[in-house]
Amino acid sequence: MIDFSCDYKKYISTEELEERVSQTRQYMARIEQDDFGGWLDLPVKYDKDEFARIKAAAEQIQSDSDYLICIGIGGSYLGHRAVIEALGGERGRTKILYAGNSLSARGLEQVIRQIGDADFSINVISKSGTTTEPAVAFRTFKKLLIEKYGEEKAAKRIYATTDANKGALHDEAVAKGYATFVVPDNIGGRYSVLTAVGLLAIAAAGISIDKLMDGAEEERAATISDGGKAAEYAVLRNVMLEKDYNIEVLANFEPNFMYFNEWWKQLFGESEGKESKGLFPASVVYSTDLHSMGQYLQEGRRALFETFVEVTDSYSGAKVPVSEENLDGLKYLEGRELDEICKIANQATREAHEAGGVPIMRVIMPALDERAMGGLIYFFELACALSAFTLGVNPFNQPGVEAYKTRMFELLGKPGYDR
Ligand code: PA5
């Protein structure tokens, strides 16, 4: 289960916090009734037949592919990349590569070079099927696949995750006989990691999606009646915003969490950044960023608070080597676990930043494994929806995302988009 703590008393009294948390808990019913609230019960209501098909497809991919090219952008790629990387990467033969998440020619060519002569399959993920970035990448990799395997065999290596009934990708998949998986209508992109959108890539990477779902189910059980600790976090974020702490910095001490940070930024940024409202979600990976951003965090403009994602479990692994000499002055650390030193650096950072005027929140996972990751995803999804309702915005729309597309289509001369 995910734990949350914050030394809040400098910012709000216990009575006021309790009052506000109980108001926020009322939004649980609102989420349940929302057309886009399908993720709330997903850990206990997912499609078991599709789940089994995902596992079978993942086995097939592992048996015939050195690479799985995951084509998608935003909510259609950040979640699975976050999970796979946070859990230490692929565990079997198949390596996951990502494409269609930008319009960079260099980025696209780099993936093509990386595949070389190796065997590969494609998981194209797009609800609409018409998002420019993944559509261009899909066209590119489909052509390579057909050149390498021929049309019939190539079709067997394409896994399309899209709308159940309509859209360009759905129609193509039906016409060409691709294996298909569903982006549910009641779950938006940034909430979709525990659907086929994220699960196929995660399973193909050799990570247990059963354990991931178990962790989400456990977290749901702990929070479904009243929002649990997620409601407390949701309220305290808003309290900080009201006190002019406008930026929330998600901080952790694991380099593998870089894409988890990106997933979290989309979740909160797209859910809350509207109607001229919302915290700006930023992120750091320590201790790396203590040597670049640490100065600002300690002494810069006091407009930010930090939310640390921490792991309680100790990891026994690399130790500080024993040496006869002490030229580097590390004698006092000899033989100590690096993980223990890292946890002490974490504590020291929290204490120093708090003393420097940065409010600190802590989201704590029991271990760094599939179960805890499933729980962490559910915790943040729930906290985000509750926080957005508390802020007074709809957590499930993203009207602002269209503006750049319209302008780009006008400039590119897309039919129907005259300037
Ligand atoms: O969260 C979202 O809704 C977005 O990030 C979308 O997932 C993203 O724009 C991709 O859209 P689509 O899946 O239709 O290609």
Side-chain angles (χ1 to χ4, degrees), residues 72-77 125-132 134 161 183 188-192 266 270 398 401 405:
I73 193 164
S76 293
Y77 106 102
I125 308 158
S126 178
K127 171 85 172 162
S128 59
T130 51
T131 308
T132 312
T161 307
V183 185
R190 56 189 173 277
Y191 285 85
S192 68
Q266 186 198 356
E270 222 169 54
Q398 55 282 329
V401 179
K405 292 185 192 169

Side-chain angles (χ1 to χ4, degrees), residues 191-233:
Y191 285 85
S192 68
V193 52
L194 299 177
T195 71
V197 169
L199 293 180
L200 179 56
I202 295 169
I207 291 168
S208 167
I209 56 174
D210 288 300
K211 291 183 188 162
L212 192 72
M213 293 306 277
D214 284 352
E217 186 180 339
E218 186 182 63
E219 191 58 26
R220 179 190 170 279
T223 51
I224 195 68
S225 61
D226 63 0
K229 299 255 178 182
E232 226 174 286
Y233 170 51

Side-chain angles (χ1 to χ4, degrees), residues 102-378:
S102 81
L103 288 168
S104 160
R106 293 175 188 84
L108 189 77
E109 287 163 12
Q110 202 173 321
V111 179
I112 296 170
R113 274 199 303 277
Q114 205 166 340
I115 301 172
D117 291 333
D119 284 311
F120 71 101
S121 296
I122 295 172
N123 180 201
V124 53
I125 308 158
S126 178
K127 171 85 172 162
S128 59
T130 51
T131 308
T132 312
E133 291 88 339
V136 169
F138 183 43
R139 205 182 249 228
T140 306
F141 286 98
K142 186 171 50 182
K143 188 163 179 280
L144 290 178
L145 206 62
I146 292 170
E147 281 164 8
K148 189 174 168 78
Y149 299 102
E151 192 132 3
E152 202 179 317
K153 285 191 180 153
K156 293 198 166 28
R157 287 176 171 270
I158 297 175
Y159 301 84
T161 307
T162 189
D163 192 279
N165 306 302
K166 59 181 188 307
L169 181 56
H170 166 268
D171 295 349
E172 175 176 339
V174 171
K176 301 282 183 181
Y178 308 152
T180 55
F181 299 94
V182 173
V183 185
D185 277 340
N186 60 353
I187 300 179
R190 56 189 173 277
Y191 285 85
S192 68
V193 52
L194 299 177
T195 71
V197 169
L199 293 180
L200 179 56
I202 295 169
I207 291 168
S208 167
I209 56 174
D210 288 300
K211 291 183 188 162
L212 192 72
M213 293 306 277
D214 284 352
E217 186 180 339
E218 186 182 63
E219 191 58 26
R220 179 190 170 279
T223 51
I224 195 68
S225 61
D226 63 0
K229 299 255 178 182
E232 226 174 286
Y233 170 51
V235 169
L236 283 166
R237 299 177 76 248
N238 280 284
V239 168
M240 294 307 162
L241 179 60
E242 289 154 23
K243 297 196 176 301
D244 280 339
Y245 294 101
N246 299 307
I247 301 162
E248 178 175 14
V249 181
L250 193 76
N252 55 65
F253 275 74
E254 290 294 338
N256 285 343
F257 265 64
M258 212 182 95
Y259 270 90
F260 186 84
N261 290 351
E262 297 306 311
W263 172 82
W264 177 89
K265 284 191 278 193
Q266 186 198 356
L267 180 65
F268 282 86
E270 222 169 54
S271 299
E272 294 194 315
K274 49 196 73 157
E275 299 171 32
S276 304
K277 293 183 186 172
L279 284 159
F280 183 81
S283 66
V284 287
V285 175
Y286 293 151
S287 62
T288 313
D289 291 338
L290 287 172
H291 297 259
S292 54
M293 295 299 288
Q295 172 61 37
Y296 195 103
L297 269 293
Q298 191 66 46
E299 295 181 350
R301 203 160 70 85
R302 302 295 72 185
L304 47 86
F305 67 94
E306 268 176 309
T307 300
F308 283 75
V309 175
E310 302 174 44
V311 182
T312 0
D313 207 16
S314 312
Y315 175 77
S316 182
K319 294 186 175 69
V320 178
V322 175
S323 163
E324 280 176 16
E325 293 175 329
N326 191 28
L327 298 173
D328 51 13
L330 287 183
K331 195 106 218 135
Y332 77 108
L333 291 178
E334 268 183 15
R336 284 171 79 173
E337 293 277 358
L338 200 50
D339 188 60
E340 180 208 338
I341 297 171
C342 189
K343 285 187 164 63
I344 291 169
N346 183 328
Q347 181 187 344
T349 307
R350 281 187 275 110
E351 288 175 7
H353 289 181
E354 189 148 45
V358 179
I360 302 291
M361 305 202 192
R362 302 174 70 188
V363 174
I364 301 163
M365 359 172 23
L368 186 39
D369 59 18
E370 290 95 326
R371 278 186 83 88
M373 191 52 67
L376 189 67
I377 288 166
Y378 192 88

Side-chain angles (χ1 to χ4, degrees), residues 45 47 221 226-227 413 419:
K45 272 201 190 153
D47 178 340
D226 63 0
R419 290 198 81 176

Side-chain angles (χ1 to χ4, degrees), residues 17 40 96 186 352 373 375:
L17 177 64
L40 189 71
I96 312 296
N186 60 353
M373 191 52 67

